[in-house]
Amino acid sequence: MELKGKKIAVLVEQQYEDLEFWYPVLRFREAGAEVSAIGSGKDTYPSKHGYQAKADLSATKVRGEQFDALIIPGGYAPDHMRRHPEMVKLVRDAAAADKVIAAICHGGWMLCSAGILAGKKATGFFAIKDDLVNAGAEYLDQEVVRDGNLITSRVPDDLPAFCRTIIEALGQS
């Protein structure tokens, strides 16, 4: 089990992209990690396609340093996540603790709101390129970009490379 003993938080909010939430959750559980879905305070959240995800914990009850990695799926969920200061603080605190932070698709919006992109290389869904650049990132159009403990990807097709890179980063932490 390549991730045995690792604790991973996956953020969830309404209108999350199904694959970008469930693929990492199931992949990392299969690899032996303890994976927790962290929400803004509700018990369940509907995806873009109506599939419900149950939150294990609320962002008000956890701290970024409790986890080895924090994953931010896309869809429209990140726009809802960043409306909750405790979710933004969770990302900011995990970054300050030098934890692995991984965002895919529109997940980069949370990186912008957390103020952790200055001087970093990153990617994301093409429609948020300007947001990433305005937050101080150098935008690269690649399936996965790793800049230290910051890992970003663009779309669901990038999930295999995204997850491989997270596993690699966790093996080095």
Side-chain angles (χ1 to χ4, degrees), residues 130-142:
D130 291 346
D131 301 296
L132 298 173
V133 170
N134 289 334
E138 176 185 344
Y139 182 85
L140 302 173
D141 186 12
Q142 299 172 358

Side-chain angles (χ1 to χ4, degrees), residues 2-167:
E2 59 198 328
L3 295 179
K4 188 165 180 56
K6 298 293 184 180
K7 291 184 174 187
I8 300 175
V10 182
L11 300 187
V12 65
E13 239 306 340
Q14 63 180 325
Q15 296 185 329
Y16 68 88
E17 164 50 51
D18 303 64
L19 287 172
E20 294 168 358
F21 175 81
W22 287 107
Y23 187 110
V25 165
L26 297 173
R27 173 66 183 95
F28 298 142
R29 283 181 182 160
E30 177 185 46
E34 179 185 327
V35 180
S36 300
I38 309 297
S40 61
K42 299 178 200 161
D43 291 331
T44 59
Y45 300 87
S47 72
K48 283 173 49 178
H49 304 289
Y51 195 78
Q52 296 289 320
K54 182 177 179 356
D56 298 305
L57 299 163
S58 169
T60 61
K61 305 287 186 200
V62 296
R63 295 180 329 277
E65 60 269 10
Q66 289 177 245
F67 301 97
D68 298 294
L70 189 142
I71 300 171
I72 309 163
Y76 297 109
D79 189 42
H80 293 280
M81 290 174 194
R82 63 187 181 169
R83 299 173 195 188
H84 299 277
E86 65 278 0
M87 292 192 88
V88 175
K89 183 179 184 320
L90 182 61
V91 174
R92 186 179 301 117
D93 290 351
D98 205 28
K99 302 299 181 172
V100 172
I101 309 289
I104 187 166
C105 195
H106 286 78
W109 275 339
M110 281 292 283
L111 306 177
C112 295
S113 292
I116 63 170
L117 286 175
K120 297 286 190 176
K121 291 181 170 86
T123 195
F125 189 65
F126 76 92
I128 69 164
K129 175 184 176 182
D130 291 346
D131 301 296
L132 298 173
V133 170
N134 289 334
E138 176 185 344
Y139 182 85
L140 302 173
D141 186 12
Q142 299 172 358
E143 69 178 352
V144 66
V145 173
R146 180 176 178 194
D147 188 335
N149 277 345
L150 179 66
I151 299 164
T152 52
S153 282
R154 303 167 301 186
V155 294
D157 285 347
D158 298 338
L159 280 162
F162 182 66
C163 289
R164 275 193 309 272
T165 306
I166 294 168
I167 292 168

